Amino acid sequence: MGNAALRDIAALQTVSWEEVAGSVVAIDAHNWLYRYLTTTVKFTADEAYTTSEGDKVANLVGTVTGLAKLFEHDLTPVFVFDGGVTELKDDEVERRREKREAAEERLAEARDRGDGVEAARLSARTQRLTSVIHETTRELLSQLDVPVVEAPAEGEAQASYMARRGDVDYVGSEDYDTLLFGAPETLRQLTSSGDPELMSLAATLDGHDLTWEQLVDVGILCGTDFNDGVDGIGPKTALKTVRKHGDLWGVLDARGAHVPNGDRIRSLFLNPPVTEDYAFDTDIRPDVDAAQAYVTEEWEVDPDAVARWFDRIEEATTQTGLDDWT
Amino acid sequence: MFEAIASASTLGDALDSVSVLVDECKIRLNEDGLAIRAVDPANVGMVDLDLEAGAFESYDADGGVIGVNLARLEDIASMANADDLVHLELDEETRKLHIQMDGLSYTLALIDPDSIRQEPDIPDLDLSAEIVVEGAQLSRGVTAADMVSDHIRLRVDPDDEAFLVEAQGDTDDVDLELSREDLIDLKAGGADSLFSLDYLKDMNKAIASDAEVTIELGEEFPVKLHYGFGEGLGNVTYMLAPRIQSD
């Protein structure tokens, strides 16, 4: 999921929830959902989110938990879902699948041993976004009147594009790749308990005296979801050498190195497949009773696992703020 | 420069009206009196307070701003009897407030005003109804509503010329109807808004039962509650954002 090496380069600053209150955030839906899915599975008993037919819908618990938090901080989310998987990402997808399968094997062993702690830990790792998860998450968001945008390809790319056009204030993602996709400002740690972290593209570029294109080249040299990095190049070397040789091609020439599909990867960040054909209403008026019935009756989630989150969503979305009148 | 002498009760009334909403606030030490404006962290309730120089026994200030921890200041003020005089003096050098009363002196460390939430802008409101009611009447409505619900609906019936306080609980309901005769004054207009009782209860605590409260109310708009204290030389306006009414 992106390259953490970019953290060493990114201009990051902790901000308070108050500073970002009232803003509209295009959230990378997969990234967000995955985080809530794994925490839910870790901390909630299986039975609470397993239907009588055996479907696991921990995503419904995770989604209401996460939404309550966003609403209470007065953020308006717009969830951006991935479209198709980019072909170049096959390797990454394959790598993740292998990891998951290995975890699944160990999970079965842990269960046989009766090691509940290890089983819970591994079970969080083996989560995947099944079609039931996709469908039910979208339906729940719709009941709660939360806007959704379907990306033609990468959700991060679409969210970054919407932020660049000024249609949203921030991109919400844990992934440093939003910098490469040109998102002006990204809010990280929206899903954790502390304050969010603001990642700024302009400050990153200014700080290292780079253009956006050069930053993408730095990213490619360190490795992205679409390629392995060049051996022996970490973030610091990448910065230095891109500044020295001007761009990716200059660096590769000088080193006699090669990045397969370099051209295509570059344009995937600079000109990714995105759509301008989207519209959303940020005046969110959820039907909390209907959403609660959907989750607890239709999908048989234990009411106790979600009741307080629904209450908090209701409270946060029906109370207006005085700043709505200034 | 700031030095003033106030009666403990006037000072206490002023502090109480702000502390029901926030823990810390900025106090503007204007030449013609004190001014405080603060909003709670959720941006739902606001207080706008003026205490004219004339409300003090003596008052001398030149326009500075101090930041205070209200709970601390209230604790100190509560050490005085209601008709005691409290002497306040700002030490510019140490940024401390010296407070003296009846032999007791207290040095209060101030808070950097820049570390306190910004003072809010006053919302621009179009409020069509104005109700003037005794503090005790409002209090009755709030207390009764609190028995059945977390929310309170305030509305004016322009035809019947009445002010209505209503609350709907899961099982029980409360209605208080105050007709023109029960009120001090009424400018009737279409007005109907729902509010959180958590906030209104707190505001109500600060309002004396014999105070004249002017309620400005609109259709799904914030409400303004205005009352005077300190023999009319102190003025408080609360603003409270409404809840969205479900149909």
Side-chain angles (χ1 to χ4, degrees):
Chain A
M1 306 275 277
N3 190 334
L6 286 174
R7 181 167 182 93
D8 296 337
I9 296 173
L12 298 159
Q13 145 194 31
T14 302
V15 292
S16 68
W17 291 104
E18 272 181 30
E19 284 171 76
V20 296
S23 56
V24 179
V25 187
I27 292 184
D28 177 1
H30 281 90
N31 190 285
W32 183 89
L33 188 58
Y34 194 79
R35 272 165 199 269
Y36 277 108
L37 202 52
T38 50
T39 33
T40 303
V41 170
K42 222 184 264 182
F43 297 111
T44 314
D46 275 28
E47 307 84 66
Y49 56 81
T50 307
T51 67
S52 45
E53 290 179 8
D55 282 316
K56 293 196 183 290
V57 286
N59 60 304
L60 296 179
V61 181
T63 300
V64 293
T65 312
L67 282 176
K69 175 164 174 163
L70 292 171
F71 290 147
E72 282 174 352
H73 290 301
D74 196 16
L75 294 178
T76 304
V78 178
F79 282 90
V80 184
F81 280 89
D82 282 352
V85 174
T86 306
E87 203 185 304
L88 288 171
K89 216 173 176 174
D90 286 355
D91 282 355
E92 173 69 17
V93 171
E94 177 66 16
R95 252 199 306 274
R96 279 184 224 164
R97 195 179 56 80
E98 279 169 12
K99 263 192 181 164
R100 196 170 58 224
E101 280 172 3
E104 270 165 3
E105 261 173 50
R106 282 192 289 152
L107 172 60
E109 287 164 18
R111 284 206 174 118
D112 287 345
R113 283 200 308 275
D115 184 347
V117 175
E118 180 68 359
R121 195 178 70 83
L122 289 168
S123 146
R125 277 209 209 161
T126 53
Q127 291 309 304
R128 69 188 98 187
L129 304 181
T130 63
S131 61
V132 169
I133 287 180
H134 273 285
E135 279 162 34
T136 54
T137 303
R138 281 179 171 79
E139 178 57 26
L140 176 60
L141 289 174
S142 142
Q143 305 250 15
L144 290 171
D145 198 29
V146 176
V148 166
V149 168
E150 301 289 346
E154 302 277 334
E156 283 177 281
Q158 178 69 30
S160 302
Y161 175 69
M162 287 157 60
R164 269 166 51 212
R165 301 207 334 161
D167 291 335
V168 296
D169 300 304
Y170 302 102
V171 172
S173 177
E174 296 309 299
D175 221 331
Y176 299 100
D177 277 4
T178 57
L179 270 185
L180 306 187
F181 283 116
E185 293 189 303
T186 301
L187 287 178
R188 304 187 66 257
Q189 296 175 12
L190 289 177
T191 58
S192 47
S193 53
D195 283 336
E197 196 173 55
L198 179 69
M199 177 164 76
S200 158
L201 177 62
T204 303
L205 298 180
D206 286 352
H208 300 294
D209 194 21
L210 291 178
T211 64
W212 175 25
E213 289 78 5
Q214 286 177 317
L215 179 67
V216 170
D217 291 347
V218 167
I220 293 172
L221 288 168
C222 297
T224 69
D225 277 356
F226 309 107
N227 73 291
D228 294 323
V230 172
D231 270 347
I233 297 195
K236 283 205 180 110
T237 314
L239 277 174
K240 230 185 274 171
T241 183
V242 165
R243 274 199 298 255
K244 183 169 172 200
H245 298 289
D247 64 10
L248 179 64
W249 315 122
V251 173
L252 294 178
D253 274 351
R255 295 201 155 227
H258 177 64
V259 172
N261 298 311
D263 235 347
R264 285 177 63 196
I265 296 168
R266 223 170 172 237
S267 76
L268 269 175
F269 286 115
L270 296 170
N271 288 301
V274 288
T275 176
E276 57 182 51
D277 188 17
Y278 57 82
F280 50 83
D281 176 6
T282 55
D283 182 17
I284 297 180
R285 303 282 179 102
D287 186 340
V288 174
D289 290 345
Q292 201 156 3
Y294 176 72
V295 169
T296 59
E297 285 163 30
E298 209 170 321
W299 287 94
E300 305 168 33
V301 171
D302 179 359
D304 289 341
V306 287
R308 70 193 163 111
W309 300 111
F310 275 115
D311 283 350
R312 286 167 68 169
I313 289 174
E314 166 113 53
E315 180 59 33
T317 52
T318 50
Q319 177 63 61
T320 64
L322 286 168
D323 45 347
D324 297 342
W325 279 272
T326 49
Chain B
M1 176 260 304
F2 169 67
E3 188 172 1
I5 299 172
S7 82
S9 66
T10 303
L11 190 63
D13 286 349
L15 298 176
D16 288 347
S17 71
V18 183
S19 69
V20 294
L21 277 180
V22 292
D23 300 329
E24 298 174 347
C25 72
K26 293 182 203 183
I27 304 181
R28 298 205 168 266
L29 309 167
N30 299 328
E31 283 177 28
D32 56 355
L34 295 183
I36 300 174
R37 194 190 291 171
V39 67
D40 85 294
N43 243 317
V44 175
M46 185 187 297
V47 60
D48 188 20
L49 172 142
D50 285 308
L51 187 56
E52 291 175 33
F56 294 81
E57 298 297 313
S58 78
Y59 182 92
D60 203 358
D62 60 2
V65 180
I66 56 172
V68 298
N69 176 322
L70 280 164
R72 284 269 183 81
L73 195 50
E74 271 189 308
D75 282 349
I76 307 157
S78 72
M79 296 293 292
N81 295 313
D83 44 6
D84 279 355
L85 290 180
V86 181
H87 180 257
L88 305 164
E89 186 175 3
L90 174 66
D91 184 332
E92 305 265 6
E93 294 259 303
T94 59
R95 295 304 292 172
K96 288 188 174 173
L97 189 67
H98 295 295
I99 305 160
Q100 287 173 300
M101 62 191 81
D102 198 21
L104 177 71
S105 69
Y106 192 107
T107 306
L108 177 72
L110 297 172
I111 303 170
D112 176 6
D114 292 338
S115 72
I116 296 176
R117 268 173 76 82
Q118 245 187 345
E119 289 159 302
D121 292 330
I122 301 252
D124 183 18
L125 304 176
D126 173 22
L127 302 169
S128 47
E130 192 176 294
I131 307 111
V132 186
V133 63
E134 238 182 46
Q137 289 278 42
L138 178 65
S139 189
R140 225 173 132 236
V142 169
T143 307
D146 190 39
M147 293 171 186
V148 302
S149 178
D150 298 330
H151 317 139
I152 186 168
R153 185 177 176 194
L154 304 181
R155 64 189 185 95
V156 168
D157 186 332
D159 301 328
D160 276 359
E161 299 239 304
F163 174 50
L164 302 141
V165 179
E166 299 167 354
Q168 274 190 344
D170 289 336
T171 52
D172 303 351
D173 296 343
V174 159
D175 287 270
L176 172 67
E177 180 169 345
L178 297 170
S179 64
R180 185 175 276 284
E181 297 78 65
D182 304 318
L183 301 167
I184 299 168
D185 195 15
L186 175 70
K187 240 194 280 168
D192 184 348
S193 300
L194 186 72
F195 301 97
S196 155
L197 265 171
D198 276 348
Y199 283 88
L200 207 57
K201 262 178 359 197
D202 284 343
M203 293 174 174
N204 181 56
K205 266 185 225 156
I207 303 176
S209 58
D210 60 353
E212 248 182 43
V213 186
T214 304
I215 305 170
E216 289 179 61
L217 196 63
E219 202 80 53
E220 307 258 353
F221 258 83
V223 65
K224 267 191 188 184
L225 298 171
H226 174 92
Y227 68 95
F229 67 99
E231 290 161 1
L233 296 167
N235 284 291
V236 172
T237 303
Y238 284 124
M239 272 153 277
L240 176 59
R243 299 176 59 85
I244 294 166
Q245 301 203 44
S246 49
D247 321 295

